[in-house]
Amino acid sequence: MTRMPDDFLFGAATSAGQIEGAATEGGRGDSIWDVFARRPGRIAGGATPATACDHFRRYRDDVRLMARLGIGAYRFSIAWPRVIPRGYGAVNRTGLDFYDSLTDTLLEHAITPLATLYHWDLPQGLQERGGWPVRDTARYFADFAEQVVRRLGDRVPLWATLNEPHVAAHLGHEHGVHAPGLRGLGTALQAAHHLLLAHGLAVEVLRDLAPRARVGISVNVAPVHAAGDGDADQAAAARADGYFNRWYLDPLLRGAYPEDLTDAYRELDLLPEVHEYDLAAIAVPVDFVGVNYYFRYLVAADGGDGTGLRQRELGFRVLDAGGAGSRERTAMNWEVYPEGLTEAVLRVTRDYAPAAIYLTENGAAYDDDPGADGDFDDRARQAYLHAHLEAAGAALEAGAPLRGYFVWSLLDNFEWQHGYRKRFGLVHVDFRTGARTPRRSALWYRDAIAAGGVP
Ligand code: FCB
């Protein structure tokens, strides 16, 4: 039995752009994802986030459902274009009213809110002024944070400024598979710097306006393993670790970009423009680090032929063959590797000594068995969650200051470029009718929460 401490938060997570829908209602403006999804061929099945789970209208039912499952904490995000439709200028009270009411509904059901200020839905109005590669966007983000915190800061105890700046920067600005669909490592690094700066400025706003709140940021942390013992693969793995992990963790938690990667980017003439006090602003102390964990990277030196995602400038490949060929994979084709969760949490603990860590995302997509209509018997997801909660317990036992775990996701939702085809929910959503049906894993999670851990 893995028992968590009594004050451990068992949560579930979502994000605004993936569940709310109501894209044109209540004065909301377009986000970069609304615009990206209208471009042919960008999203599987031509899907858009316009309706999604219709959570904007159904939030009371969704909160009641969480309460029935015994979920103790809920991580949601605030849609910037709902609050400030163009990203700058007029504030939309109706948007703030929605989050105000969502917060109160959560508190009425004794569910602790964890609000994320930015989960990738930049207002299109700001994209038209250059988006994250432009420095002003960080300032506008601080203004947005101020509006939100003035309204909710008295009731929301936990805040994450950003979700996964690495993904927002690189998938959106280097690989072009996420909004806004740009392609250039230099552009991505400049976007990343402004995202980090935006984080620092928002922490200051939170300290001023909500002095009792606990504040952090969610980063995706993935162990990077070398595919082979040779020097070339080892060196490639070190560069990949810099690219995926340290380029974000180091400035946030140590106040400096990592030297090895700084040298590499300088040589490629790709270093972002950094102003004198930026790193001090970025490294403003936080109360917790949010770790999102899904997989590890198995990395080889890039040379000759090969399969797997290639990072050309830094000369490494992420092998899509995974670790041991026999390992199970999710519907995302992600290797199931629970040991990596323990490793990621212990690495953050050892290298950065944060006051607290929350696992702000972990979960899996699986296809529903078409035969199991009306009875969503997702044993694979249940086993996945079981193994990963055990891995979280192992991190705790080894001394990590782990305070909570949030399953991604409460509901099946708009999974970015995959549209509605990848289902991560504890709760199944019928996107035609909006009907919610808790899967077997949801009931299992309810029992684990009631027991304070996993048997
Ligand atoms: C994370 C994102 C989240 C969801 C999961 C599957 O990277 O933060 O929105 O897409 O992956």
Side-chain angles (χ1 to χ4, degrees), residues 15 18 119-120 163-164 167 292 294 334 361 408 415-416 424:
S15 87
Q18 294 177 272
H119 200 126
W120 307 351
N163 180 66
E164 300 187 356
V167 174
N292 292 357
Y294 290 95
W334 294 346
E361 285 182 28
W408 184 272
E415 178 49 33
W416 311 115
F424 275 90

Short mmCIF file of all heavy atoms in Angstrom, two decimals, residues 15 18 119-120 163-164 167 292 294 334 361 408 415-416 424, ligand 1:
data_model
loop_
_atom_site.label_atom_id
_atom_site.label_comp_id
_atom_site.label_asym_id
_atom_site.label_seq_id
_atom_site.Cartn_x
_atom_site.Cartn_y
_atom_site.Cartn_z
N SER A 15 -7.74 22.41 -18.96
CA SER A 15 -7.39 23.79 -19.31
C SER A 15 -8.54 24.41 -20.09
O SER A 15 -9.32 23.71 -20.75
CB SER A 15 -6.10 23.85 -20.13
OG SER A 15 -6.37 23.69 -21.51
N GLN A 18 -9.25 23.79 -23.79
CA GLN A 18 -9.54 22.40 -24.14
C GLN A 18 -10.93 21.95 -23.72
O GLN A 18 -11.40 20.92 -24.20
CB GLN A 18 -8.48 21.48 -23.51
CG GLN A 18 -7.09 21.71 -24.11
CD GLN A 18 -6.02 20.86 -23.44
OE1 GLN A 18 -5.42 21.25 -22.46
NE2 GLN A 18 -5.76 19.69 -23.99
N HIS A 119 -2.48 28.75 -20.20
CA HIS A 119 -2.35 27.40 -20.74
C HIS A 119 -2.54 27.49 -22.26
O HIS A 119 -3.46 26.92 -22.83
CB HIS A 119 -3.36 26.47 -20.08
CG HIS A 119 -3.03 25.00 -20.18
ND1 HIS A 119 -2.94 24.16 -19.09
CD2 HIS A 119 -2.77 24.22 -21.26
CE1 HIS A 119 -2.65 22.92 -19.49
NE2 HIS A 119 -2.54 22.93 -20.81
N TRP A 120 -1.70 28.32 -22.89
CA TRP A 120 -1.47 28.33 -24.34
C TRP A 120 -2.47 29.10 -25.18
O TRP A 120 -2.34 29.13 -26.41
CB TRP A 120 -1.35 26.90 -24.89
CG TRP A 120 -0.35 26.05 -24.18
CD1 TRP A 120 0.57 26.45 -23.23
CD2 TRP A 120 -0.13 24.64 -24.35
NE1 TRP A 120 1.33 25.38 -22.81
CE2 TRP A 120 0.92 24.26 -23.47
CE3 TRP A 120 -0.73 23.68 -25.16
CZ2 TRP A 120 1.39 22.94 -23.39
CZ3 TRP A 120 -0.26 22.37 -25.08
CH2 TRP A 120 0.78 22.01 -24.20
N ASN A 163 1.65 27.21 -18.01
CA ASN A 163 1.75 25.78 -18.25
C ASN A 163 2.81 25.50 -19.31
O ASN A 163 2.72 26.01 -20.43
CB ASN A 163 0.42 25.22 -18.73
CG ASN A 163 0.51 23.72 -18.98
OD1 ASN A 163 0.70 22.95 -18.04
ND2 ASN A 163 0.42 23.31 -20.24
N GLU A 164 3.79 24.70 -18.96
CA GLU A 164 4.77 24.16 -19.91
C GLU A 164 5.30 25.19 -20.91
O GLU A 164 5.01 25.09 -22.11
CB GLU A 164 4.17 22.96 -20.66
CG GLU A 164 3.75 21.83 -19.74
CD GLU A 164 3.30 20.57 -20.49
OE1 GLU A 164 3.24 20.59 -21.73
OE2 GLU A 164 3.04 19.55 -19.83
N VAL A 167 6.82 23.69 -24.16
CA VAL A 167 5.91 23.25 -25.22
C VAL A 167 5.34 24.46 -25.97
O VAL A 167 5.29 24.49 -27.20
CB VAL A 167 4.79 22.36 -24.65
CG1 VAL A 167 3.75 22.03 -25.71
CG2 VAL A 167 5.39 21.07 -24.09
N ASN A 292 4.84 18.47 -14.70
CA ASN A 292 3.96 17.68 -15.57
C ASN A 292 4.80 16.53 -16.11
O ASN A 292 5.84 16.75 -16.73
CB ASN A 292 3.45 18.51 -16.74
CG ASN A 292 2.48 19.60 -16.31
OD1 ASN A 292 2.15 19.73 -15.13
ND2 ASN A 292 2.02 20.39 -17.27
N TYR A 294 4.85 12.91 -18.34
CA TYR A 294 4.21 11.94 -19.23
C TYR A 294 5.16 10.83 -19.69
O TYR A 294 4.74 9.70 -19.86
CB TYR A 294 3.62 12.63 -20.46
CG TYR A 294 2.41 13.47 -20.10
CD1 TYR A 294 2.53 14.82 -19.85
CD2 TYR A 294 1.16 12.88 -19.95
CE1 TYR A 294 1.43 15.58 -19.50
CE2 TYR A 294 0.04 13.63 -19.59
CZ TYR A 294 0.18 14.98 -19.36
OH TYR A 294 -0.91 15.72 -18.99
N TRP A 334 2.99 7.05 -26.57
CA TRP A 334 3.96 7.37 -25.52
C TRP A 334 4.21 6.10 -24.69
O TRP A 334 3.28 5.42 -24.28
CB TRP A 334 3.44 8.48 -24.60
CG TRP A 334 3.27 9.82 -25.29
CD1 TRP A 334 3.78 10.19 -26.50
CD2 TRP A 334 2.54 10.96 -24.80
NE1 TRP A 334 3.41 11.49 -26.79
CE2 TRP A 334 2.65 11.98 -25.76
CE3 TRP A 334 1.80 11.21 -23.63
CZ2 TRP A 334 2.06 13.24 -25.61
CZ3 TRP A 334 1.21 12.46 -23.47
CH2 TRP A 334 1.34 13.46 -24.45
N GLU A 361 0.32 17.56 -13.71
CA GLU A 361 -0.31 16.75 -14.76
C GLU A 361 0.37 15.39 -14.84
O GLU A 361 1.60 15.30 -14.80
CB GLU A 361 -0.17 17.38 -16.16
CG GLU A 361 -1.07 18.55 -16.41
CD GLU A 361 -0.93 19.11 -17.83
OE1 GLU A 361 -0.58 18.34 -18.75
OE2 GLU A 361 -1.17 20.32 -17.99
N TRP A 408 -4.30 14.27 -15.39
CA TRP A 408 -4.72 14.82 -16.67
C TRP A 408 -5.45 13.71 -17.40
O TRP A 408 -4.81 12.72 -17.73
CB TRP A 408 -3.53 15.30 -17.52
CG TRP A 408 -4.08 15.94 -18.76
CD1 TRP A 408 -4.39 15.34 -19.94
CD2 TRP A 408 -4.47 17.31 -18.88
NE1 TRP A 408 -4.95 16.25 -20.80
CE2 TRP A 408 -5.02 17.46 -20.18
CE3 TRP A 408 -4.44 18.42 -18.01
CZ2 TRP A 408 -5.51 18.70 -20.63
CZ3 TRP A 408 -4.92 19.63 -18.47
CH2 TRP A 408 -5.45 19.76 -19.77
N GLU A 415 -7.67 17.84 -27.58
CA GLU A 415 -6.25 17.55 -27.36
C GLU A 415 -5.42 18.19 -28.49
O GLU A 415 -4.80 17.52 -29.30
CB GLU A 415 -6.04 16.03 -27.26
CG GLU A 415 -4.59 15.57 -27.07
CD GLU A 415 -3.80 16.28 -25.97
OE1 GLU A 415 -4.40 16.65 -24.94
OE2 GLU A 415 -2.60 16.47 -26.16
N TRP A 416 -5.47 19.51 -28.54
CA TRP A 416 -4.61 20.31 -29.42
C TRP A 416 -4.64 19.81 -30.87
O TRP A 416 -5.71 19.61 -31.42
CB TRP A 416 -3.19 20.39 -28.83
CG TRP A 416 -3.22 20.79 -27.38
CD1 TRP A 416 -2.82 20.03 -26.31
CD2 TRP A 416 -3.71 22.04 -26.80
NE1 TRP A 416 -3.01 20.72 -25.13
CE2 TRP A 416 -3.55 21.94 -25.41
CE3 TRP A 416 -4.25 23.22 -27.34
CZ2 TRP A 416 -3.92 22.97 -24.53
CZ3 TRP A 416 -4.62 24.24 -26.47
CH2 TRP A 416 -4.44 24.12 -25.10
N PHE A 424 -8.16 11.57 -22.90
CA PHE A 424 -7.39 11.52 -21.66
C PHE A 424 -8.27 11.47 -20.41
O PHE A 424 -7.76 11.48 -19.29
CB PHE A 424 -6.47 12.74 -21.55
CG PHE A 424 -5.14 12.63 -22.26
CD1 PHE A 424 -4.99 13.03 -23.58
CD2 PHE A 424 -4.03 12.14 -21.59
CE1 PHE A 424 -3.77 12.95 -24.23
CE2 PHE A 424 -2.80 12.05 -22.23
CZ PHE A 424 -2.66 12.45 -23.55
C1 FCB B 1 0.34 18.45 -21.72
C2 FCB B 1 -0.57 19.66 -21.78
C3 FCB B 1 -2.04 19.32 -21.63
C4 FCB B 1 -2.40 18.07 -22.39
C5 FCB B 1 -1.47 16.94 -22.00
C6 FCB B 1 -1.80 15.64 -22.66
O1 FCB B 1 1.54 18.73 -22.36
O2 FCB B 1 -0.22 20.58 -20.78
O3 FCB B 1 -2.79 20.43 -22.06
O4 FCB B 1 -2.35 18.31 -23.75
O5 FCB B 1 -0.14 17.29 -22.33
#
